[in-house]
Amino acid sequence: MRFLLDAEQRAFADALRAMLTAADTPAVIRDWSRGDHTRGRALWSRLAEAGVFALAVPEEYGGLGPRPVELAVAFVELGRYAVPGPLVETAGAAVLLGEPAPARRFLPGLAAGADLATVAAPGGYALDGDAASLRLSPAPDGLYLCTAPPGPVRRSLDPARRLTALPPGGELLTPAVPYDRALTWIRLATAAQALGVGLALLDRTVAHVRQRTQFGVPVGSFQAVKHRLADSRTALEFARPLVLGAAVSLRPEDVAAAKLTACEAAYRTARTALHLHGAIGYTAEYDLSLWLTKARALRSAWGTPEECRDRVLAAGL
Amino acid sequence: MDLTHSPADEEFRTEARAWLRAHVPRTPLPSLETEEGFAAHRAWEAELAADRWSVVSWPERYGGRDAGLLRWLVFEEEYWAAGAPGRVGQNGVSLLAPTLFAYGTQEQRARVLPPMATGEVVWAQAWSEPEAGSDLAALTSRAVRTDGGWRLRGQKTWSSRAAFADRAFGLFRSDPAAPEPHQGLTYLMFGLRDPGVTVRPIGRLDGKPAFAELFLDDVFVPDEDVIGEPGQGWRIAMSTTGDERGLTLRSPGRFLASAARLRDLWRAQGSPEHSRARVADALIAARAYQLFAYAAASRILDGARLGPESSMNKIFWSELDLALHETALDLLGAEGELADGAWSEGYVFSLAGPVYAGTNEIQRDIVAERLLGLPKGRR
């Protein structure tokens, strides 16, 4: 038993962080929100070179996987920098397309970052259907590749998330849909991404209250302010082991618990971040908004809090 | 990243489980905050000690099993899952013993630890004073130098277990002229029935004498009962409070077992919708606490020390403990009001969690200032 990231895993996170710090993601996100995917695709390619999209792809199909712990590590960083795009969906698609025939056909392209995949959540929208080259619809009778153009882009609360409805039908890829397994990976990636979003919100808010002065002293010296941030830190630090533990076990109930907890911690941190930034935090032009809106969107993406709780209670965690 | 225990640790788990299955009392012992219950719990400590289960993490020569941190966590999971009694010797085992291992002399360890392991000597902590609670460094009780030792004068209060315990450990001001309140403090041990000690039990909310105030009138303490160097008491005590807030005071096994019992209670009540979220959240939080502890243990085994993060730990377990018990009482409805219910005693105990071992507000200050780097300000 050694429940700690090893040196290689920590180096992987550090390398992604260095790359993403240099990538000026706020500008990339704002482009993406307007439907200009150029810089986002360039960043996507660099992430693929680092191996991010190969982690859920088995080695025989050009991947590095399955490596759920490394996937969680990577998605914490993607969340920390609010990287836009169908990230968790592309990771999940690698599992969804795991039957030999579709795997041979699609997984090498996914692992290499050549293809962006999106997956229509049952009864919901597909993220970035306009940018994805593979649009997948899991249905009770099989997994469909959507060949018709997606519906018009609907605005999400998070402007970086461009939602589309997928027309039903298309090309039947396989009658066997490993949907539960794919959902487990998607939820794990979402949990990790939310944790990263929460950590970034906390860091930015701490930096803000250290330099913002009122009544002649830094706002961060007030106990009411400190205590809210201490609670955020505590909530995020107790979500982290759930996320990593779920990556180790890959039990659906552990993943649901991690998803719920990480998303709640990130959302509460978002509320605190907004409040402690005051009116600045309420503006779209200030970069904090890029994380604030994502925290809300991720909370219900791929499993609402109640769906996650049901999974936990049914399994008897 | 590995959550699998080694075969040897699993063997240890199996052995502990079998022993507990054969020995845990079939009917719960009376509350350890009563005279009768205290005696019954002392007997239970002796039974544990007879087969070396009372202090598994200690060296064998003091009655332990030399079990490492991970095995201690495993033992605690089994202990609480088996429904075993609360530990009356806990203050000594989780607070004084680690201090003696770090700062005590060989002679002190050999003299103090074995009777602590068997429950023959039960220890109370004597930290707080009427004017020194969260601001512990404000304490004014004195230790005055005398031939061959010290004389204690002053008053301690809210001393857990002191109503029935045998001995106590605490901090006393030995150099009132020291420039800072944290300096000139000495850490020492004394007998609760020594000449000059008056123990006045204090009833907690449910009336049980769970703590006491101590009046000290020229109580003699020989030099051999001073821990570490005189005047170094603060540094020594802070290493103990770190343990208190950290892993040792509230092991994850305890909350995992409570959360599982809460889930069983919820199901027995027909899985009412109104409590679904609270029960699920308690289960998840207990699991989070367990995994947080595994991560902390892994870091400690790599040579790290638990620093200010033990403050997050304390905030987390105290709130979890309250949430667990409040949910249980709500689920029980009218039955939950009864003071002799299985959950009621735990509820009353959990109410104190955010207060003792340093209030949660103090812990939040520590997290904000030492983990987040926020500036110090007015409290």
Side-chain angles (χ1 to χ4, degrees):
Chain A
M1 228 262 335
R2 192 175 181 283
F3 189 52
L4 274 185
L5 294 177
D6 62 30
E8 207 174 315
Q9 289 160 339
R10 289 199 306 273
F12 180 46
D14 290 346
L16 287 176
R17 218 181 291 191
M19 176 210 294
L20 290 167
T21 303
D24 186 15
T25 53
V28 176
I29 300 164
R30 291 185 193 283
D31 280 0
W32 191 276
S33 305
R34 287 190 298 268
D36 174 357
H37 301 124
T38 317
R39 283 206 275 185
R41 287 302 300 258
L43 179 57
W44 195 280
S45 297
R46 290 205 295 285
L47 290 169
E49 277 167 34
V52 168
F53 302 108
L55 298 170
V57 175
E59 286 183 40
E60 56 187 306
Y61 302 118
L64 301 165
R67 291 186 170 214
V69 174
E70 282 76 6
L71 181 98
V73 167
F75 273 77
V76 169
E77 301 312 321
L78 299 180
R80 201 192 293 271
Y81 291 87
V83 176
L87 300 157
V88 305
E89 290 75 9
T90 295
V95 179
L96 211 47
L97 294 163
E99 289 294 308
R104 270 194 303 274
R105 182 172 154 200
F106 296 110
L107 293 196
L110 280 185
D115 283 313
L116 280 61
T118 192
V119 180
Y125 295 99
L127 178 62
D128 296 309
D130 59 334
S133 45
L134 295 177
R135 296 184 291 276
L136 301 172
S137 295
D141 63 333
L143 178 64
Y144 287 88
L145 178 68
C146 180
T147 45
V153 172
R154 306 283 303 268
R155 280 171 54 88
S156 157
L157 279 172
D158 174 9
R161 288 169 61 88
R162 299 164 59 79
L163 303 174
T164 52
L166 298 188
E171 180 190 345
L172 178 66
L173 294 178
T174 165
V177 191
Y179 183 68
D180 266 10
R181 227 162 61 75
L183 181 62
T184 296
W185 282 75
I186 290 177
R187 271 193 185 159
L188 174 66
T190 308
Q193 190 184 14
L195 177 59
V197 167
L199 292 168
L201 284 163
L202 178 64
D203 282 352
R204 286 175 165 263
T205 308
V206 166
H208 176 75
V209 302
R210 280 163 61 100
Q211 54 85 22
R212 165 78 169 164
T213 60
Q214 292 281 267
F215 308 104
V217 290
V219 169
S221 66
F222 298 129
Q223 206 174 35
V225 169
K226 283 178 172 170
H227 286 193
R228 287 190 74 157
L229 291 169
D231 283 341
S232 287
R233 170 73 179 240
T234 304
L236 291 164
E237 288 308 323
F238 277 87
R240 189 196 300 271
L242 281 176
V243 171
L244 293 173
V248 171
S249 83
L250 278 184
R251 293 193 310 176
E253 59 270 29
D254 290 340
V255 173
K259 203 285 177 178
L260 167 73
T261 307
C263 287
E264 290 290 291
Y267 181 63
R268 277 186 46 189
T269 303
R271 294 282 315 278
T272 292
L274 170 58
H275 189 76
L276 297 186
H277 276 81
I280 304 165
Y282 195 66
T283 64
E285 64 191 38
Y286 194 66
D287 282 348
L288 186 78
S289 68
L290 307 175
W291 283 266
L292 288 176
T293 51
K294 198 172 297 297
R296 172 62 245 185
L298 292 179
R299 192 162 180 247
S300 30
W302 298 109
T304 63
E306 283 318 310
E307 286 167 329
C308 292
R309 289 187 176 111
D310 282 347
R311 194 88 200 211
V312 167
L313 285 171
L317 188 70
Chain B
M1 274 281 153
D2 182 11
L3 279 168
T4 326
H5 292 287
S6 70
D9 288 356
E10 283 301 337
E11 214 168 281
F12 175 83
R13 181 195 296 280
T14 306
E15 192 187 347
R17 186 178 295 178
W19 189 91
L20 289 162
R21 191 172 293 152
H23 289 82
V24 168
R26 301 247 185 288
T27 49
L29 302 184
S31 164
L32 64 81
E33 313 292 8
T34 62
E35 190 162 11
E36 178 204 8
F38 204 87
H41 279 77
R42 220 192 255 272
W44 167 247
E45 299 283 334
E47 193 175 342
L48 279 169
D51 289 324
R52 291 187 303 117
W53 292 111
S54 69
V55 285
V56 295
S57 60
W58 290 10
E60 289 184 14
R61 65 179 174 284
Y62 302 128
R65 287 175 175 250
D66 254 324
L69 194 46
L70 292 175
R71 275 193 201 180
W72 176 76
L73 287 166
V74 165
F75 174 75
E76 289 281 305
E77 286 172 11
E78 293 303 319
Y79 187 87
W80 298 105
R87 300 294 301 274
V88 73
Q90 178 183 276
N91 280 317
V93 170
S94 69
L95 298 178
L96 178 57
T99 309
L100 288 176
F101 285 123
Y103 298 97
T105 63
Q106 285 294 352
E107 185 277 327
Q108 284 173 332
R109 288 177 211 152
R111 174 164 53 92
V112 172
L113 295 176
M116 184 194 288
T118 58
E120 192 184 330
V121 175
V122 175
W123 289 81
Q125 54 87 13
W127 300 100
S128 299
E129 297 183 4
E131 301 304 326
S134 285
D135 184 10
L136 185 60
L139 61 89
T140 59
S141 285
R142 296 281 317 275
V144 181
R145 202 80 182 97
T146 186
D147 271 358
W150 301 79
R151 291 212 171 263
L152 307 184
R153 293 172 196 158
Q155 183 187 351
K156 293 284 177 180
T157 192
W158 308 307
S159 184
S160 299
R161 309 286 114 73
F164 308 114
D166 307 291
R167 288 177 68 73
F169 52 94
L171 279 181
F172 290 82
R173 193 163 296 285
S174 52
D175 178 9
E180 292 286 331
H182 304 82
Q183 296 170 4
L185 299 174
T186 295
Y187 194 136
L188 38 74
M189 307 177 273
F190 58 97
L192 289 169
R193 284 181 263 293
D194 286 357
V197 179
T198 306
V199 178
R200 190 184 78 84
I202 306 172
R204 67 174 180 195
L205 282 181
D206 62 356
K208 288 175 183 147
F211 42 25
E213 53 187 344
L214 313 175
F215 299 92
L216 306 163
D217 183 13
D218 270 334
V219 179
F220 178 72
V221 175
D223 282 329
E224 69 203 43
D225 278 346
V226 172
I227 304 173
E229 291 298 310
Q232 295 297 308
W234 184 260
R235 193 168 60 87
I236 297 168
M238 285 307 104
S239 80
T240 311
T241 55
D243 291 324
E244 184 179 21
R245 293 167 200 149
L247 291 181
T248 55
L249 184 64
R250 291 286 173 266
S251 73
R254 190 174 175 132
F255 298 108
L256 288 170
S258 294
R261 271 192 270 284
L262 178 68
R263 183 199 54 214
D264 294 345
L265 172 66
W266 178 69
R267 286 185 180 156
Q269 302 273 12
S271 308
E273 192 55 39
H274 55 71
S275 297
R276 167 177 292 270
R278 293 167 76 190
V279 172
D281 290 352
L283 284 167
I284 294 168
R287 175 73 171 156
Y289 187 60
Q290 179 194 33
L291 292 173
F292 187 86
Y294 280 159
S298 300
R299 281 197 295 280
I300 290 169
L301 293 173
D302 273 6
R305 288 214 60 182
L306 274 193
E309 69 190 87
S310 63
S311 291
M312 294 193 294
N313 214 52
K314 200 263 167 170
I315 296 167
F316 194 85
W317 65 246
S318 59
E319 292 186 348
L320 168 58
D321 203 20
L322 257 178
L324 277 164
H325 286 89
E326 285 176 335
T327 307
L329 294 197
D330 288 350
L331 272 168
L332 287 164
E335 294 294 313
E337 187 186 330
L338 299 177
D340 57 0
W343 286 97
S344 305
E345 172 98 8
Y347 168 69
V348 174
F349 187 64
S350 75
L351 281 175
V355 178
Y356 65 76
T359 62
N360 283 8
E361 284 65 34
I362 295 294
Q363 306 312 319
R364 289 187 174 98
D365 282 345
I366 294 172
V367 173
E369 288 167 15
R370 293 178 56 196
L371 289 177
L372 298 176
L374 290 175
K376 276 188 180 291
R378 295 182 58 176
R379 297 280 178 232

